[in-house]
Amino acid sequence: MPSHRNIILIGFMGVGKGSVAREVVKISNYISVDTDDLIESMENRTVKKIFEQSGEEYFRKLEKKVSVWLENSVNNTLISTGGGFYKQENLKEIGIVVFLNSPFDKILKRIKTHPNASKKLKKRPLLNDLSRAKELYNERLPEYMAVADITIDVTNKSALECAKELLKKVKEYA
Ligand code: S3P
């Protein structure tokens, strides 16, 4: 396990990284941070607005800045990330990488059946075009798998079940 002892959650948009992180926090001593939340507070605007007003490239630069800060300054923390954050070169230096996985169709169903479905779709610029989103999923899947230390299949499991599995696997990994 990297010396920082952080857990870094990666996975596609809508797979449930935030929900699982909240359950881990409830049943453990971990505190969680979310890279998109950090970026939004740094910029005082939403990810959606950052994409619209400054473009994706600018957003990726902010992710890079956050990744450097996480590596240098954050310890013993559960870090939930935006779906593209896994591309950061220093991911493994930040902490143990946990990939939350589910088939694209199940992820889409999860988003669409959520009580705030339209908000969830609207706030994610890369989900505007669903056929492009599926391509993106297919491109990223092998990359997520390659960088993961631990993979959790979240399909048909509650966030609490996933959180328990995560803590068990992290303990075994250490
Ligand atoms: C992105 C995922 C989003 C957010 C941004 C880009 C991506 O986060 O960082 O819209 O490239 O997959 P979520 O995974 O929390 O939706």
Side-chain angles (χ1 to χ4, degrees):
M1 181 183 263
S3 56
H4 295 315
R5 305 185 75 87
N6 295 308
I7 301 173
I8 179 150
L9 276 186
I10 64 164
F12 202 68
M13 292 169 273
V15 76
K17 290 163 290 187
S19 307
V20 172
R22 283 186 286 278
E23 292 303 322
V24 172
V25 166
K26 277 189 207 158
I27 61 170
S28 72
N29 290 326
Y30 279 100
I31 293 240
S32 69
V33 296
D34 179 288
T35 59
D36 282 347
D37 290 348
L38 291 167
I39 287 171
E40 289 189 344
S41 66
M42 271 158 63
E43 289 279 305
N44 195 26
R45 53 186 176 148
T46 61
V47 169
K48 183 169 181 269
K49 277 268 180 285
I50 298 171
F51 268 70
E52 279 166 12
Q53 296 169 343
S54 309
E56 181 172 348
E57 204 180 312
Y58 179 77
F59 176 77
R60 299 300 173 197
K61 283 191 186 141
L62 297 172
E63 286 193 316
K64 166 97 194 147
K65 190 169 182 181
V66 168
S67 76
V68 172
W69 174 74
L70 289 169
E71 182 183 346
N72 292 336
S73 311
V74 176
N75 298 297
N76 298 311
T77 297
L78 175 65
I79 301 159
S80 174
T81 65
F85 192 87
Y86 75 99
K87 288 182 190 275
Q88 297 305 317
E89 284 164 14
N90 65 342
L91 202 68
K92 297 264 198 195
E93 274 69 61
I94 300 172
I96 176 169
V97 181
V98 179
F99 170 42
L100 301 188
N101 189 25
S102 194
F104 181 77
D105 296 349
K106 300 278 182 189
I107 294 177
L108 207 57
K109 192 169 163 217
R110 181 177 181 275
I111 299 174
K112 285 187 169 165
T113 55
H114 193 277
N116 279 331
S118 72
K119 199 174 152 211
K120 293 218 162 257
L121 279 168
K122 272 195 210 134
K123 76 170 208 177
R124 295 183 162 103
L126 299 178
L127 284 182
N128 286 347
D129 175 346
L130 288 182
S131 69
R132 176 63 199 126
K134 182 161 188 170
E135 276 171 24
L136 192 63
Y137 174 89
N138 289 333
E139 275 165 38
R140 284 181 176 177
L141 183 60
E143 298 175 354
Y144 284 132
M145 288 174 24
V147 79
D149 296 309
I150 291 170
T151 296
I152 296 177
D153 183 350
V154 305
T155 316
N156 301 327
K157 289 180 195 157
S158 70
L160 178 59
E161 284 170 324
C162 298
K164 286 180 180 163
E165 188 175 331
L166 180 150
L167 288 168
K168 185 169 175 278
K169 287 188 167 167
V170 166
K171 204 171 162 193
E172 284 163 6
Y173 188 87

